[in-house]
Amino acid sequence: MAPSSIFAGALLAFYLATPGSAAAVQKVSSVSDAGAPLFTNEQLQLTEHILSTAAPNHTALFDFAKNSSLSVRSRNECKAYPGDAAWPSNFVWTLFDELLGGALIKTVPLAAACYSSWPEYDSDECDTITADWTDSNLHAADPASVMWPLFEGRTCLPTTNASASCTVGGYSSYAVNVSNVAQVQLAVNFARNANLRLVVKNTGHDFNGKSTGAGALGVWTHHLKDIDYIKNYKSRTYQGPAVKMGAGVQAHEIYEKANELGFTAVGGEGKTVGVAGGYVLGGGHSPMSSMYGLAADQVLALEVVLANGRFVTVTEETDPDLFWAIRGGGGGTFGIVTSVISRVHPKVGVTVSTFSFATSTNVSADTFWAGIRSYVERFPAYADAGTYAYFWVIATGTDSFEFLMNPFFATNHTLAEYNALVEPWYKDLADLGISITPNSTYYDNYYDAWMAGFPLETVASSVMMTGSRLFPRANWETTYSFNSTFDALRTTVTAGYALLAFNMKAELQDGYPSNSANPAFRNTLLHAITSTSWSSTANNTAIKDQMETFTNDVMGIWRATCPDAGAYMSESDILEPNFKEAFYGSNYARLWKLKQIYDPTFLFYAPTGVGSDNWVVNSEDGLPDQNGRLCRV
Ligand SMILES: Cc1cc2nc3c(=O)[nH]c(=O)nc-3n(C[C@H](O)[C@H](O)[C@H](O)COP(=O)(O)OP(=O)(O)OC[C@H]3O[C@@H](n4cnc5c(N)ncnc54)[C@H](O)[C@@H]3O)c2cc1C
Ligand SMILES: *[C@@H]1O[C@H](CO)[C@@H](O)[C@H](O)[C@H]1NC(C)=O
Ligand SMILES: *[C@@H]1O[C@H](CO)[C@@H](O)[C@H](O)[C@H]1NC(C)=O
Ligand SMILES: *[C@@H]1O[C@H](CO)[C@@H](O)[C@H](O)[C@H]1NC(C)=O
Ligand SMILES: *[C@@H]1O[C@H](CO)[C@@H](O)[C@H](O)[C@H]1NC(C)=O
Ligand SMILES: *[C@@H]1O[C@H](CO)[C@@H](O)[C@H](O)[C@H]1NC(C)=O
Ligand SMILES: *[C@@H]1O[C@H](CO)[C@@H](O)[C@H](O)[C@H]1NC(C)=O
Ligand SMILES: *[C@@H]1O[C@H](CO)[C@@H](O)[C@H](O)[C@H]1NC(C)=O
Ligand SMILES: *[C@@H]1O[C@H](CO)[C@@H](O)[C@H](O)[C@H]1NC(C)=O
Ligand SMILES: *[C@@H]1O[C@H](CO)[C@@H](O)[C@H](O)[C@H]1NC(C)=O
């Protein structure tokens, strides 16, 4: 007996030191009900069989949900947090990493190189990170970083003071660098079984900190880059060209592919936004929206890992409820999408025009605003012509203002057609004595127009927050409502809040199946964003006061002009009052019902997501960020 028990003990010791498991992944066939085969990385899946072979003594940690375990947990419960007794041991993290095939990354904050308390300290690297901090690519390429550090908790910003503090804070504790479906399933099962907070991070663009969370296990989808063009996609409701995109595909990547193959995709204006991730799942407005609606409207099928760990195909036929909910109901809410199949459109020509005007000795503030008014009055005509425009109106001093057309994106308009469209407005400007020198160029394809029209986004300010509103067409229908809309915009800008806005529409096209995107999108003519900012030395109490004043008073003026409209969840105010009505409108009740069916243990939490009001993060700095333990309210 003795020798064998010594042997068993030695083996156990060895096992604890190095779990020695193989990656838990099994190759299955490419067949899918989606109307296109699975990507190779989607054929690599987790099965009960492979799990029991790879981790025979630990299946309970990584196993799929059983129906019986789907019962809702007790109230007042918190997700496990680093330092808790319930937090997984190093042994378990190592085992998890092995089952993942080495894809687990322990979070080192992106700016750790600036801090002498971190082994990563390296002043040259710090200089690079500091210089690139506002470049979205830097954060998209990091497993845990996000583009709104305010909502992470500002725990590790670039600095020249190497002895200042840098902590993991509101960043996820670990991230899985996903390259196959099995890894997503393992992460989902592990997080659910170990009561861990789970976050999905794709690019990290989210305005409200939805892709970060203290103590979370992150699922990083950035490297799921496959793109397949499907020349003749067929479903019950659609026949025509489509594209299947991995969840990590970014706007510039699908546009490059579309240009190469001669089609037009509905994606965002932002260059690095994740078109098959949070963007499309939250609705997704596009330079093509006035012609074809939202990005979510284009979706024909998705491959998804559900909260129970199962990998499913979601179409109108396979699961009409989830098909409705996941297209527009918000990222990080119903499951982790590994790919999306979306309809695409014929090649289109676009005229791109940029110009600006400002108050001057010859242009008074009233004249300036008359020029703006002449523009805003034409929003119905411009959106109905299928165009999209991104413009800014900013105060440059007391009674001095500047307007920037950044750009007017006239889809399906030749230069002559564009000039005819804007001629009445240009004439008004000339009559007012406002001179402009438009730089207008026709491109025979979307890609070149988009490249010329939209600069790379600047991100990662930690001293500002935003708010937005989807102003409805009704506000243009009477002089009274138009005046109150226009006055609200003028008041906001005059008070020093910049207006960054989109004149567009996003109607559901005939024959497209309905979805859960915010109904306020369907009749909007203006998606307007504004922001407030503070000094980098402001204390947390002052920041909080300023945020609340912004939300209630500044944004309150906009809400008052259209109390029944809403706001776009993906470019919004984290403190939006009545966020359910504002971000989801009449869809909320059905979304909440489905949330409880598909995610009964509330594995997927995202701030302002469906059901998020049942949870709270008590943040360390008292601001509405993700640097704190996630608990049920
Ligand atoms: C500079 C800039 C430009 C923008 N331009 C546009 C624009 O033109 N049009 C527009 O509509 N919006 C735009 N947005 C808003 C953008 O749509 C949102 O920020 C969106 O959340 C980004 O999705 P993401 O996957 O890139 O980002 P992430 O922050 O990584 O993810 C956002 C949310 O989606 C979830 N999520 C991501 N991937 C998945 C997945 N595979 N499965 C399940 N959930 C997932 C995350 O958990 C998170 O909740 C812009 C934002 C910025 C900062
Ligand atoms: C699993 O546990 C059993 C019993 O404790 C042990 O005999 C066996 O070696 C373990 N298997 C592995 C792979 O560790
Ligand atoms: C749960 O049980 C129902 C009915 O018994 C069954 O249809 C369903 O597939 C089960 N779900 C899972 C995840 O096992
Ligand atoms: C650097 O940070 C440390 C620690 O927070 C602080 O004590 C010190 O005053 C800071 N130095 C400067 C120059 O800001
Ligand atoms: C993540 O995985 C991809 C392969 O899918 C690899 O190219 C990349 O270097 C990995 N990134 C990190 C930070 O480990
Ligand atoms: C203002 O008008 C005068 C006279 O028409 C003109 O000479 C001058 O260039 C104008 N200034 C600006 C800033 O447009
Ligand atoms: C583009 O514009 C032309 C008219 O110039 C119109 O006939 C055509 O239908 C438009 N294309 C689309 C896709 O709307
Ligand atoms: C006009 O705009 C294009 C981009 O569309 C740009 O390349 C060009 O430099 C601009 N010309 C002028 C004179 O500003
Ligand atoms: C709307 O505003 C215009 C311009 O200020 C003004 O002339 C008009 O009387 C206003 N109409 C109403 C109904 O308020
Ligand atoms: C925070 O800043 C405000 C405004 O500058 C100031 O009035 C207040 O006393 C400060 N509070 C603390 C706790 O420092």
Side-chain angles (χ1 to χ4, degrees):
M1 291 300 115
S4 84
S5 69
I6 287 165
F7 178 71
L11 187 69
L12 186 63
F14 169 77
Y15 187 65
L16 286 170
T18 49
S21 297
V25 48
Q26 190 163 335
K27 179 123 192 225
V28 306
S29 96
S30 67
V31 173
S32 167
D33 290 335
L38 296 179
F39 288 138
T40 307
N41 63 50
E42 291 174 323
Q43 297 164 41
L44 301 176
Q45 299 182 11
L46 182 71
T47 60
E48 269 99 352
H49 170 74
I50 197 72
L51 188 57
S52 63
T53 312
N57 292 350
H58 300 280
T59 52
L61 268 176
F62 303 103
D63 209 352
F64 298 91
K66 301 285 177 274
N67 266 346
S68 56
S69 70
L70 291 182
S71 59
V72 177
R73 290 166 192 272
S74 62
R75 303 195 69 78
N76 300 323
E77 191 200 342
C78 298
K79 301 283 183 180
Y81 206 62
D84 287 356
W87 186 252
S89 64
N90 288 339
F91 165 79
V92 168
W93 286 111
T94 305
L95 174 62
F96 179 46
D97 186 31
E98 293 193 355
L99 296 176
L100 293 167
L104 189 66
I105 300 171
K106 189 163 191 199
T107 298
V108 172
L110 182 53
C114 298
Y115 294 87
S116 55
S117 55
W118 283 80
E120 288 74 13
Y121 180 54
D122 174 339
S123 64
D124 290 344
E125 178 66 13
C126 173
D127 289 346
T128 305
I129 285 165
T130 304
D132 293 348
W133 189 251
T134 60
D135 181 335
S136 56
N137 290 297
L138 178 73
H139 303 275
D142 183 86
S145 193
V146 291
M147 300 186 200
W148 296 81
L150 178 66
F151 300 120
E152 174 275 317
R154 298 169 300 161
T155 65
C156 190
L157 299 174
T159 181
T160 50
N161 181 0
S163 54
S165 148
C166 163
T167 63
V168 172
Y171 294 113
S172 55
S173 296
Y174 288 86
V176 177
N177 181 10
V178 171
S179 62
N180 64 48
V181 162
Q183 293 163 335
V184 179
Q185 294 177 294
L186 277 163
V188 161
N189 286 349
F190 179 46
R192 192 191 56 251
N193 295 332
N195 190 33
L196 301 178
R197 180 172 180 183
L198 185 76
V199 300
V200 187
K201 189 212 156 181
N202 183 27
T203 64
H205 272 87
D206 192 77
F207 273 55
N208 290 342
K210 285 180 173 177
S211 36
T212 193
L217 172 60
V219 174
W220 186 36
T221 55
H222 180 62
H223 290 283
L224 298 175
K225 294 289 193 188
D226 292 301
I227 300 177
D228 272 359
Y229 177 59
I230 307 156
K231 200 167 174 197
N232 197 8
Y233 182 90
K234 283 196 187 71
S235 75
R236 197 160 54 81
T237 52
Y238 177 70
Q239 260 201 40
V243 66
K244 172 165 166 151
M245 296 175 276
V249 171
Q250 292 170 276
H252 65 93
E253 293 163 332
I254 189 61
Y255 294 157
E256 275 157 27
K257 185 63 126 192
N259 190 41
E260 178 194 320
L261 298 176
F263 63 86
T264 304
V266 178
E269 54 85 10
K271 283 207 157 46
T272 61
V273 166
V275 285
Y279 164 80
V280 68
L281 303 177
H285 69 81
S286 166
M288 298 308 298
S289 284
S290 297
M291 285 178 71
Y292 297 124
L294 296 172
D297 304 347
Q298 317 305 316
V299 175
L300 301 158
L302 310 95
E303 305 287 359
V304 182
V305 175
L306 297 176
N308 62 12
R310 302 290 171 184
F311 180 63
V312 297
T313 298
V314 181
T315 70
E316 210 181 350
E317 284 80 36
T318 64
D319 190 340
D321 278 337
L322 190 54
F323 185 65
W324 176 84
I326 207 163
R327 292 174 312 129
T333 303
F334 290 100
I336 301 182
V337 170
T338 64
S339 67
V340 169
I341 301 177
S342 291
R343 59 176 98 199
V344 294
H345 303 278
K347 191 172 164 181
V348 67
V350 182
T351 292
V352 174
S353 184
T354 53
F355 53 93
S356 64
F357 59 85
T359 50
S360 68
T361 44
N362 297 357
V363 177
S364 69
D366 281 342
T367 303
F368 174 90
W369 283 104
I372 302 293
R373 185 183 171 97
S374 168
Y375 176 41
V376 179
E377 279 174 349
R378 296 185 159 80
F379 283 1
Y382 291 165
D384 289 340
T387 70
Y388 176 92
Y390 182 35
F391 65 94
W392 301 3
V393 190
I394 53 182
T396 49
T398 310
D399 266 347
S400 56
F401 302 97
E402 187 173 17
F403 170 85
L404 297 153
M405 180 55 84
N406 232 359
F408 201 121
F409 197 87
T411 28
N412 196 28
H413 282 67
T414 61
L415 194 52
E417 287 165 344
Y418 168 74
N419 284 330
L421 181 70
V422 294
E423 199 269 339
W425 176 31
Y426 282 9
K427 183 173 180 304
D428 274 4
L429 292 177
D431 291 349
L432 288 162
I434 298 173
S435 79
I436 54 169
T437 47
N439 174 1
S440 309
T441 312
Y442 176 77
Y443 299 90
D444 75 354
N445 69 88
Y446 175 89
Y447 182 71
D448 290 340
W450 173 81
M451 284 290 281
F454 297 101
L456 180 67
E457 51 264 42
T458 297
V459 300
S461 165
S462 49
V463 293
M464 68 170 285
M465 73 177 288
T466 58
S468 71
R469 198 80 188 150
L470 292 166
F471 289 86
R473 188 180 288 262
N475 282 27
W476 275 257
E477 281 167 359
T478 69
T479 316
Y480 177 80
S481 62
F482 178 78
N483 279 4
S484 77
T485 304
F486 178 73
D487 291 346
L489 299 175
R490 180 172 176 170
T491 301
T492 302
V493 174
T494 303
Y497 303 95
L499 174 66
L500 276 68
F502 300 88
N503 168 214
M504 55 171 282
K505 65 178 185 177
E507 294 165 355
L508 187 69
Q509 305 297 294
D510 286 347
Y512 283 42
S514 76
N515 61 31
S516 60
N518 192 340
F521 258 126
R522 301 312 183 185
N523 59 19
T524 195
L525 292 174
L526 171 66
H527 165 38
I529 305 175
T530 186
S531 62
T532 188
S533 61
W534 45 85
S535 133
S536 58
T537 57
N539 65 45
N540 293 333
T541 318
I543 295 173
K544 194 160 185 220
D545 286 351
Q546 192 170 331
M547 291 178 92
E548 281 166 4
T549 301
F550 176 75
T551 298
N552 298 321
D553 301 354
V554 179
M555 296 311 296
I557 294 174
W558 290 13
R559 281 194 296 274
T561 72
C562 46
D564 299 328
Y568 177 31
M569 71 165 87
S570 293
E571 296 181 314
S572 62
D573 176 350
I574 194 171
L575 298 177
E576 179 75 34
N578 307 318
F579 76 90
K580 299 178 191 177
E581 289 81 353
F583 298 161
Y584 306 90
S586 55
N587 290 331
Y588 192 81
R590 183 174 172 201
L591 284 166
W592 172 228
K593 213 173 120 197
L594 293 173
K595 171 75 176 169
Q596 293 167 88
I597 294 169
Y598 286 95
D599 186 14
T601 63
F602 223 103
L603 179 66
F604 299 113
Y605 166 82
T608 74
V610 172
S612 57
D613 55 329
N614 295 301
W615 293 80
V616 65
V617 173
N618 289 311
S619 72
E620 283 192 5
D621 61 5
L623 297 179
D625 62 53
Q626 300 307 309
N627 184 19
R629 188 193 283 270
L630 176 64
C631 296
R632 284 184 193 271
V633 292

